[in-house]
Amino acid sequence: MYFELTEEEQILKQTLFEMTHEMTDQGVDARGAWQTYREIGLAAVALDEQRGGAGMSLNSLGIACQVIAEINPGWSVAMAMHNLAVLKAEKAGEGDAGLFKSMASGETLGTVALVGADGDPQCLDWTSFEGPVVLVSPTGDLLQSLDELDELGQAHQSMGLDDFAVRGVNESFQPAVAASESDATWDAIWASVLIGFARGAFKTMVAYSEERSQFGRPLSKFQAVQWMLADSSTELDAAALLTSRALATPGDARSAAAAAYYSGKICLAITDRAIQVHGGYGFTLEYRPQLFWRAARQITSGVLGLSFRRHESLLATGKN
């Protein structure tokens, strides 16, 4: 199976890449970035135009999340979480609700209750957004503003995602992501986000290995570093192919699980290598590897609940 981007998808990818880089270079904050994204229809990328969405494909949503993730992890997480909340609510028949329409336009942000690392239901709250944030239940049939929920626990800052806080959620929102019909969509989109993190880290690794010299030659000329670069490049290609297949076959739970499982594994490995190549500089805020390293660990083991155990169980069946 060969995956080639359509002309529309190529334009979206290039436009988002240039736009996100420009906003980052200009110091635009998270709220300003979201305002820009929603103005070009990214608040509901894969939602039908009749429902107020952009009417693009699931693959377009994956491209958007992936491109943004390699530049600004936090913005990509907001894009993925919000769009998944919109799709989940629309599938549950909430498309005519006023709050849903506000989500589809991006005037309010959507988030979903998930299983946290400790097994308790949690959600992400975008703290830098001054407008309302809507919580969508795992089944998609409940839309309610976070501000109106007394059951939310005290917020604590997320480890690796700037502009976000993690909140506890009442048991009535008990997440059931592993048993939901949206598993395939969920996994395919988060695989895209993880690939973006990994590619962002890989680019920092390549650039630094070429500019940093030891013993009179660039780090990229040392075999140990070349091994890391070669492994990372190959793994990125493999993850991208798995994710393209998952996005092209919505509803195929096994393909999506494979994409999320492998993308998570290589994301952790590549962000680790980026830190290693940078040495001590990799942990400092002046260099970007730490940004992707922190985000990768939050996604794979934190509040977003990408369960490797669930994926392993599904993939171990051997069914194609």
Side-chain angles (χ1 to χ4, degrees), residues 178-284:
S180 74
E181 295 180 0
S182 63
D183 275 359
T185 299
W186 182 269
D187 287 343
I189 295 304
W190 287 118
S192 300
V193 172
L194 289 163
I195 290 173
F197 292 169
R199 183 167 286 119
F202 177 67
K203 287 182 175 180
T204 69
M205 184 169 32
V206 171
Y208 188 78
S209 68
E210 292 176 346
E211 69 182 41
R212 176 70 171 173
S213 294
Q214 287 288 344
F215 306 108
R217 55 177 177 162
L219 291 179
S220 60
K221 299 298 183 181
F222 289 87
Q223 191 174 50
V225 175
Q226 290 176 341
W227 284 341
M228 288 192 280
L229 294 173
D231 286 346
S232 299
S233 179
T234 304
E235 290 164 352
L236 275 169
D237 284 349
L241 284 172
L242 284 172
T243 302
S244 294
R245 183 180 68 177
L247 291 168
T249 54
D252 186 340
R254 192 175 188 281
S255 290
Y261 179 78
Y262 187 69
S263 296
K265 293 288 188 184
I266 67 106
C267 185
L268 291 172
I270 293 173
T271 52
D272 267 344
R273 292 173 195 145
I275 294 289
Q276 292 177 47
V277 169
H278 282 75
Y281 288 130
F283 291 102
T284 63

Side-chain angles (χ1 to χ4, degrees), residues 19 44 110 115 174 178 182 192 198 200 238 253 262 284 288-289 299:
M19 178 186 296
V115 175
Q174 183 64 46
S182 63
S192 300
Y262 187 69
T284 63
R288 290 176 59 78
I299 290 289

Side-chain angles (χ1 to χ4, degrees), residues 274-306:
I275 294 289
Q276 292 177 47
V277 169
H278 282 75
Y281 288 130
F283 291 102
T284 63
L285 297 181
E286 290 78 10
Y287 287 79
R288 290 176 59 78
Q290 51 77 28
L291 182 65
F292 301 108
W293 188 92
R294 290 186 295 120
R297 275 139 191 83
Q298 183 66 44
I299 290 289
T300 55
S301 62
V303 67
L304 296 179
L306 271 177

